[in-house]
Amino acid sequence: MIKHEIKGNQFYVAVNDHILISSKNIWEGFGKERIKEYHGHFTIKSTVKEYYPFKGSIELVSENPFEIHIKSSRDINRLLIKTELAKDEVIFGGGEQYSELNLKGKRFPLFVQEQGVGRGKNLISLLAYLKKVRGSWYSTYFPQPVFFSNKGYGIVFKTYAPMIVDLRKNIALFEIWSNECNIIVLSGTLEEMVRDLFKIFGGAFDYEDWMFGVWLASQGGTENIERIIKTAREWNIPVHAVWAQDWCGKVYTKFGRQVFWNWEYDKEDYHDLPEYIKKWHEEGIRFLGYINPFLNKEGNLYKEALEKGYLVKKKDGSVYDIVVTTFPAGLIDLSNPDAFEWYKSIILNNMISIGMDGWMADFGEYLPMDAVLKYSSGKEYHNKYPVEWARLNFEAVKASSKKVVYFMRAGFLGSTRFCPAFWTGDQNVDWSFSDGLPTVIPAMTSSSLCGVRHIHFDIGGYTSLFWMKRTPELFMRWTEIAAFSPVMRTHQTNRPVSNIQFDSNHDILRHFSKMANMHVLLIDYLKVEFKKAIDENLPVVKHLALNYPEDPESWQIKYQYLLGNDILVAPVLKKKTRKWKVFLPRREKWVHLWTEKMFSGGWIEIDAPLGEPPVFVRLGSEFLEKILAASRDVQELR
């Protein structure tokens, strides 16, 4: 229960008799930040030089949801808000997190940026550090100022301003780089608070069956797509969509094979693409492409944007050409309504009009802090940029009145209103718990807690550098997780020739066919769970604590998740491992998918050979028999 009292600029907000926010624990002051940027990676340091007791204004915006607006009385650039934490408190949130779920004891910024190549203590991380592209445990494409406590309260800072969050010791300190902020306070169980967050920031999207299916990546042209479809048919692999990120052309760089960022279909490699898309539609296969808010300097769209003044600029008025990997590109100024509408027209005229069914809407995190926009600055607009990028795609699709799905990696508070699907970004093609296969699990569950309903990942990972390449086992284990997620989508990595693909050999094809068919047999279940999630304002990929908050161990689980309410997935995340320890919530009994043995709650060890990932179905599920029958069917494919 939320209690509050406001008398002038004196106030308090309490949840369950715990004073969460009060005028006595707010300061207003001056801070100085030091930010270094390199290829979308930001090193952020902040020092508060001086601060004073809060003398500003407080306004009650709404009681349901409970929202207040605080504003300093001084011309300052920092608000400091402090609250006490219990010793045993668990804090979830912060948006998409790859390394930590319980943020208690951590200090980190909330700032949209690249996740980073290498985030741990290994040789890859050292080399990435030397090249200035190493991430930190907290660096993420999709941070959010959203926090949930196991003590029954939640806080949402409704701002685009960068923040420093310090949850060390038993005090939470929130440093907001602004002189004003709206704060939403939530209360109740974790499920109730997440539901309230979805009500406020969730989007209303319709999902067709194919959007839960198997999407195969292809590069190199229409003939390659035809070849992949033919291979899939020969190996009984269902294909709901093909997606070609290089539909608009390619460019070879030191980083690998990259897309030519000029959003018109390549008449050479993708000759007659609109006609091919019609042909694939007749075969029941959708076509997905790719776009981002950059334009390659060598393309005609860059020249048009330059002439119209639609690109982000430097302080001297020149175009701010940004080096993303190895080449410079112009970034669209989304604060400019004319540029915004022009880019929407490109999506409508060059993508949707040729029959495209969706695309990866990449990037959104690169706006430099010293950039000059028509109606803003880089510092003010940085966290807002990916939200506006999502809104642009949303409005383009809405204007077309067609069933189209696009998926994004970058975001901030409010992105979920405008984007139907997200993916977890660019993981390394390795087993590392800092930046590889294991990180997609906390990424999915943390994103889901913070308002994301449809989330997935690149099967096999994306980033391949130095000696780091996919192995068959890595690809197969990644495929197993994808089979039990909202959609199965492959990616060929930045070095496709050097890396394992779904059709690299017979063992991988056989395994992929089995997992893809298992996934397809779950689509009816996914449709029901998505409908239920939309009706109930909840995610589909769930952290265990969402359904089992009474079990203290469920709050500590980082590498398992629930797919809907009835399927528990505990993927194998280490190479050459054929047994795996699994935690089963104690309130239920669980049926092992592959052996149909029943287990009570608690820790167990289970056999987990390739092709049989640790997956359990809740006893009592209306889908139990259908899911077990699906498992029997796919095992016969061997």
Side-chain angles (χ1 to χ4, degrees):
M1 174 180 284
I2 301 173
K3 297 179 181 178
H4 74 281
E5 183 176 295
I6 301 174
K7 292 182 179 179
N9 66 354
Q10 300 297 304
F11 72 96
Y12 76 86
V13 179
V15 178
N16 300 330
D17 296 324
H18 167 57
I19 295 180
L20 193 60
I21 306 171
S22 76
S23 50
K24 294 180 181 179
N25 287 326
I26 298 182
W27 294 267
E28 46 194 29
F30 298 92
K32 184 176 182 180
E33 63 269 7
R34 297 179 300 283
I35 300 178
K36 295 181 180 179
E37 186 270 338
Y38 187 77
H39 289 229
H41 305 81
F42 294 83
T43 302
I44 303 165
K45 294 182 180 180
S46 175
T47 304
V48 178
K49 296 290 186 180
E50 50 186 299
Y51 54 92
Y52 315 94
F54 180 73
K55 298 295 183 182
S57 61
I58 171 72
E59 175 189 356
L60 179 64
V61 177
S62 168
E63 290 198 8
N64 187 23
F66 186 88
E67 181 176 346
I68 58 174
H69 175 77
I70 58 174
K71 185 174 182 179
S72 171
S73 61
R74 301 179 175 92
D75 184 20
I76 52 91
N77 64 2
R78 293 291 191 277
L79 285 172
L80 301 170
I81 301 175
K82 184 178 76 172
T83 190
E84 294 184 1
L85 300 175
K87 289 183 178 180
D88 62 342
E89 197 149 350
V90 174
I91 304 291
F92 286 162
E96 183 177 42
Q97 297 293 327
Y98 300 94
S99 300
E100 301 293 342
L101 286 177
N102 182 5
L103 301 175
K104 173 79 181 301
K106 304 294 183 181
R107 184 178 186 274
F108 51 95
L110 289 176
F111 193 84
V112 177
Q113 61 178 307
E114 280 271 7
Q115 108 183 31
V117 179
R119 301 149 51 93
K121 297 178 180 179
N122 52 36
L123 186 53
I124 287 289
S125 297
L126 174 61
L127 293 173
Y129 171 77
L130 295 174
K131 288 183 173 290
K132 301 180 182 179
V133 295
R134 181 187 183 276
S136 300
W137 71 266
Y138 54 76
S139 50
T140 174
Y141 304 105
F142 195 175
Q144 291 195 66
V146 175
F147 302 94
F148 303 107
S149 169
N150 64 337
K151 300 303 179 182
Y153 69 85
I155 306 176
V156 181
F157 295 92
K158 201 173 172 184
T159 179
Y160 294 119
M163 291 177 60
I164 302 292
V165 180
D166 191 342
L167 303 177
R168 296 175 296 182
K169 300 181 180 178
N170 291 316
I171 291 177
L173 181 63
F174 303 97
E175 177 189 322
I176 306 165
W177 296 9
S178 179
N179 68 343
E180 63 181 315
C181 182
N182 279 37
I183 300 174
I184 298 172
V185 177
L186 307 172
S187 66
T189 65
L190 181 61
E191 181 183 277
E192 290 168 340
M193 292 188 290
V194 170
R195 180 180 287 117
D196 288 341
L197 183 76
F198 268 83
K199 287 179 183 177
I200 301 168
F201 295 104
F205 300 99
D206 294 326
Y207 298 94
E208 296 186 326
D209 288 11
W210 71 268
M211 298 176 186
F212 303 111
V214 180
W215 304 353
L216 295 181
S218 176
Q219 296 187 67
T222 50
E223 282 73 19
N224 271 345
I225 292 178
E226 290 280 78
R227 179 187 60 79
I228 280 175
I229 292 173
K230 182 174 182 289
T231 299
R233 286 173 178 155
E234 290 172 350
W235 284 87
N236 191 29
I237 296 172
V239 183
H240 297 82
V242 290
W243 82 284
Q245 64 174 12
D246 66 343
W247 70 281
C248 50
K250 61 186 178 297
V251 57
Y252 290 97
T253 71
K254 293 179 180 178
F255 185 66
R257 193 181 196 278
Q258 295 185 258
V259 180
F260 183 65
W261 297 344
N262 189 70
W263 316 117
E264 299 170 333
Y265 80 84
D266 179 4
K267 302 297 193 298
E268 183 178 343
D269 286 349
Y270 288 90
H271 59 86
D272 305 314
L273 181 59
E275 287 70 29
Y276 270 98
I277 291 175
K278 289 179 184 177
K279 172 182 176 294
W280 295 325
H281 281 173
E282 291 171 359
E283 297 171 4
I285 299 172
R286 311 294 175 127
F287 178 80
L288 309 176
Y290 174 96
I291 191 173
N292 65 46
F294 287 103
L295 293 171
N296 192 303
K297 292 187 70 171
E298 302 303 316
N300 63 291
L301 291 177
Y302 176 97
K303 296 176 177 64
E304 184 177 349
L306 178 64
E307 182 180 335
K308 294 176 181 291
Y310 290 166
L311 300 172
V312 168
K313 294 180 173 60
K314 294 182 178 179
K315 291 179 181 178
D316 63 7
S318 62
V319 172
Y320 206 135
D321 287 329
I322 300 167
V323 177
V324 179
T325 53
T326 59
F327 58 90
L331 182 64
I332 295 297
D333 180 355
L334 296 184
S335 78
N336 182 341
D338 293 334
F340 191 97
E341 292 301 317
W342 177 72
Y343 223 60
K344 274 171 54 178
S345 72
I346 290 172
I347 292 176
L348 280 162
N349 297 329
N350 295 1
M351 299 173 72
I352 296 177
S353 70
I354 69 170
M356 206 174 279
D357 300 286
W359 52 84
M360 174 185 281
D362 204 359
F363 290 102
E365 59 280 287
Y366 271 74
L367 181 65
M369 293 292 278
D370 59 345
V372 176
L373 288 75
K374 184 161 187 176
Y375 294 112
S376 190
S377 67
K379 180 180 176 182
E380 293 174 342
Y381 210 78
H382 180 85
N383 283 342
K384 186 177 182 180
Y385 194 96
V387 182
E388 291 299 282
W389 175 224
R391 184 170 71 87
L392 187 152
N393 284 267
F394 175 83
E395 291 187 6
V397 171
K398 188 175 181 181
S400 75
S401 300
K402 293 186 177 180
K403 293 288 187 181
V404 172
V405 65
Y406 50 95
F407 48 104
M408 306 183 72
R409 71 180 189 183
F412 200 72
L413 188 68
S415 289
T416 46
R417 289 173 174 157
F418 303 118
C419 185
F422 291 85
W423 97 99
T424 60
D426 297 347
Q427 282 73 53
N428 286 353
V429 293
D430 68 7
W431 299 88
S432 68
F433 278 75
S434 56
D435 198 22
L437 167 65
T439 63
V440 301
I441 310 302
M444 288 197 298
T445 55
S446 58
S447 297
S448 297
L449 288 170
C450 293
V452 174
R453 185 171 283 117
H454 193 300
I455 188 163
H456 68 287
F457 43 79
D458 298 330
I459 295 176
Y462 171 77
T463 305
S464 174
L465 296 172
F466 308 113
W467 63 89
M468 190 168 53
K469 299 176 184 178
R470 289 171 175 169
T471 64
E473 183 185 15
L474 177 77
F475 186 85
M476 287 191 274
R477 286 302 194 192
W478 222 309
T479 299
E480 291 173 0
I481 306 175
F484 298 93
S485 68
V487 65
M488 288 184 74
R489 180 180 59 80
T490 64
H491 198 307
Q492 295 179 315
T493 78
N494 59 301
R495 297 195 297 177
V497 175
S498 304
N499 277 274
I500 291 290
Q501 307 299 340
F502 86 97
D503 55 352
S504 289
N505 63 48
H506 288 185
D507 288 341
I508 295 173
L509 275 162
R510 191 176 297 110
H511 177 272
F512 194 89
S513 176
K514 176 181 178 180
M515 290 297 105
N517 278 280
M518 183 72 230
H519 178 79
V520 168
L521 291 170
L522 292 177
I523 287 180
D524 285 344
Y525 170 77
L526 285 170
K527 287 165 56 181
V528 169
E529 290 300 304
F530 263 83
K531 175 66 166 57
K532 190 185 304 179
I534 291 169
D535 292 343
E536 297 178 358
N537 288 296
L538 287 170
V540 172
V541 176
K542 298 183 176 185
H543 189 276
L544 269 59
L546 201 58
N547 282 29
Y548 303 101
E550 75 285 352
D551 200 324
E553 281 179 281
S554 71
W555 288 83
Q556 306 303 323
I557 297 299
K558 192 186 297 186
Y559 297 109
Q560 299 181 191
Y561 61 94
L562 295 167
L563 182 63
N565 291 316
D566 297 342
I567 296 178
L568 184 146
V569 188
V572 175
L573 303 175
K574 294 182 179 180
K575 62 184 177 181
K576 298 179 181 179
T577 299
R578 299 296 182 265
K579 288 184 179 292
W580 199 247
K581 289 185 178 180
V582 179
F583 174 75
L584 301 173
R586 293 179 174 85
R587 191 205 305 168
E588 312 281 5
K589 293 186 182 297
W590 301 88
V591 180
H592 183 230
L593 179 63
W594 310 107
T595 64
E596 302 188 19
K597 292 181 180 178
M598 189 172 68
F599 294 87
S600 299
W603 285 96
I604 65 168
E605 187 174 66
I606 198 80
D607 288 334
L610 283 170
E612 295 184 7
V615 176
F616 297 80
V617 187
R618 185 178 62 84
L619 185 67
S621 166
E622 63 177 298
F623 284 92
L624 177 62
E625 289 306 319
K626 288 183 179 179
I627 295 172
L628 294 179
S631 170
R632 296 179 208 121
D633 289 344
V634 298
Q635 290 188 73
E636 292 178 2
L637 293 175
R638 291 182 294 183

